[in-house]
Amino acid sequence: MPMIKRRTKIVSIRLLDEEYNQLKRLCESRGARSVSDLARDAMFGLMQPSTIEGKVLELDVRLVALREEVARLSRMVEA
């Protein structure tokens, strides 16, 4: 049976409520188990931008941010 390495290091960042909610929605849409898994995959994808998966992940993150910004601007216009 292969031995599973335990992760022992923690990276901590502060987010606005809306930023965290965006990550949770992205997590659900991508089928990630947790925000931590999503963030870990994104970080490693960005560390290897020459891979197709890293580029797709970066574009996906940018697309989600763009959609959120359009939604925010739409709410401002409607108000």
Side-chain angles (χ1 to χ4, degrees):
M1 177 184 292
M3 185 177 231
I4 297 174
K5 290 185 179 180
R6 183 165 182 212
R7 291 183 171 99
T8 60
K9 303 299 177 197
I10 296 173
V11 174
S12 177
I13 59 171
R14 293 186 186 274
L15 300 171
L16 298 171
D17 287 339
E18 183 55 33
E19 292 170 330
Y20 184 75
N21 290 333
Q22 288 175 9
L23 281 178
K24 284 177 38 178
R25 286 192 296 272
L26 181 60
C27 188
E28 292 169 2
S29 71
R30 294 187 58 89
R33 293 182 323 169
S34 66
V35 172
S36 292
D37 281 349
L38 179 75
R40 187 180 306 109
D41 289 346
M43 285 187 294
F44 285 112
L46 291 172
M47 288 170 41
Q48 301 172 355
S50 62
T51 66
I52 296 296
E53 185 176 354
K55 290 180 180 180
V56 169
L57 181 59
E58 183 178 357
L59 288 173
D60 191 39
V61 169
R62 287 178 162 184
L63 182 58
V64 169
L66 181 60
R67 285 180 177 155
E68 293 296 330
E69 182 66 10
V70 168
R72 184 184 71 79
L73 292 171
S74 294
R75 286 190 301 271
M76 287 175 62
V77 169
E78 292 172 0

